[in-house]
């Protein structure tokens, strides 16, 4: 019964059933007919609770590269304070407690858990937040996007955190 949004809102569907092979969905609308969804396009599950849990192999490779070649890492799809703690603990374990961490706030779940995300972020020294555009609009609706972005900016200012406002706003 949860919504599934494909390719930045080009296709909206609802989950009908799931199996070991995948998810069976019923398409509710497409922006145009016919619509092609190619591989590598994004999926959003705005009604679902999805926790990061652990860093996967691709995350570990990206983190290792960032630690060797950059000053900060961006953490996409932060949904809870636990997600923040997971990455912060990993950075501390590597001896990089001052390494920058930018938390990208782009989901409905992040908005629900914003206080715990911000409180956890404040426990880490070099942290900022990024206010999303496209993914946040898909999750919340384009009608609520500007309002939510402005509120996130205010929360960032209130917490004295650097804020990156996504491009093309």
């Amino acid at each position: 019964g949860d919504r599934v949004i494909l390719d930045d809102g080009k296709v909206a569907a609802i989950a009908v059933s799931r199996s070991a092979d995948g998810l069976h969905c019923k398409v509710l609308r497409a922006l145009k007919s016919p619509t092609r969804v190619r591989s590598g396009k994004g999926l959003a599950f705005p009604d679902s609770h999805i926790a990061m849990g652990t860093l996967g192999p691709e995350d570990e490779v990206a983190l290792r590269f960032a630690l060797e070649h950059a000053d900060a890492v961006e953490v996409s799809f932060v949904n809870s304070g636990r997600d923040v703690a997971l990455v912060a603990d990993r950075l501390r374990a590597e001896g990089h407690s001052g390494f920058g961490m930018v938390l990208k706030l782009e989901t409905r779940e992040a908005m629900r858990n914003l206080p715990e995300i911000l409180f956890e972020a404040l426990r880490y020294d070099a942290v900022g937040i990024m206010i999303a555009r496209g993914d946040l609009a898909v999750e919340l609706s384009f009608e609520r996007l500007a309002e939510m972005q402005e509120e996130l900016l205010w929360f960032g200012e209130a917490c004295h955190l650097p804020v990156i406002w996504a491009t093309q706003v």
Side-chain angles (χ1 to χ4, degrees), residues 6-83:
L6 295 92
D7 196 4
D8 291 331
K10 288 183 181 167
V11 177
I14 191 163
V16 176
S17 64
R18 68 177 180 187
S19 68
D21 295 329
L23 195 60
H24 181 252
C25 299
K26 177 182 177 184
V27 173
L28 299 174
R29 75 173 197 296
L31 286 183
K32 61 182 180 176
S33 182
T35 296
R36 283 191 176 190
V37 178
R38 301 185 198 294
S39 65
K41 296 298 180 178
L43 290 172
F45 300 91
D47 304 326
S48 304
H49 300 285
I50 300 172
M52 188 186 307
T54 62
L55 297 177
E58 290 179 11
D59 300 318
E60 289 291 342
V61 169
L63 184 57
R64 172 68 42 218
F65 182 86
L67 286 168
E68 292 175 11
H69 302 285
D71 298 319
V73 64
E74 178 188 277
V75 185
S76 292
F77 299 104
V78 172
N79 287 318
S80 69
R82 186 180 175 333
D83 294 343

Side-chain angles (χ1 to χ4, degrees), residues 76-159:
S76 292
F77 299 104
V78 172
N79 287 318
S80 69
R82 186 180 175 333
D83 294 343
V84 177
L86 176 72
V87 177
D89 290 346
R90 182 72 172 73
L91 291 173
R92 285 186 191 106
E94 288 290 322
H96 287 81
S97 59
F99 193 79
M101 181 170 55
V102 177
L103 308 174
K104 193 169 179 191
L105 304 175
E106 54 196 322
T107 66
R108 182 182 298 248
E109 191 73 10
M111 298 308 101
R112 280 189 201 111
N113 296 323
L114 189 59
E116 81 174 62
I117 290 170
L118 293 174
F119 282 123
E120 189 62 41
L122 290 170
R123 297 180 67 217
Y124 190 79
D125 290 331
V127 66
I129 61 174
M130 177 184 238
I131 302 171
R133 178 183 45 93
D135 289 316
L136 192 58
V138 168
E139 291 268 332
L140 295 177
S141 79
F142 286 98
E143 294 80 14
R144 296 219 40 228
L145 178 63
E147 166 195 0
M148 187 52 63
Q149 286 179 316
E150 195 166 353
E151 288 185 23
L152 287 169
L153 180 63
W154 294 336
F155 277 110
E157 289 174 351
C159 293

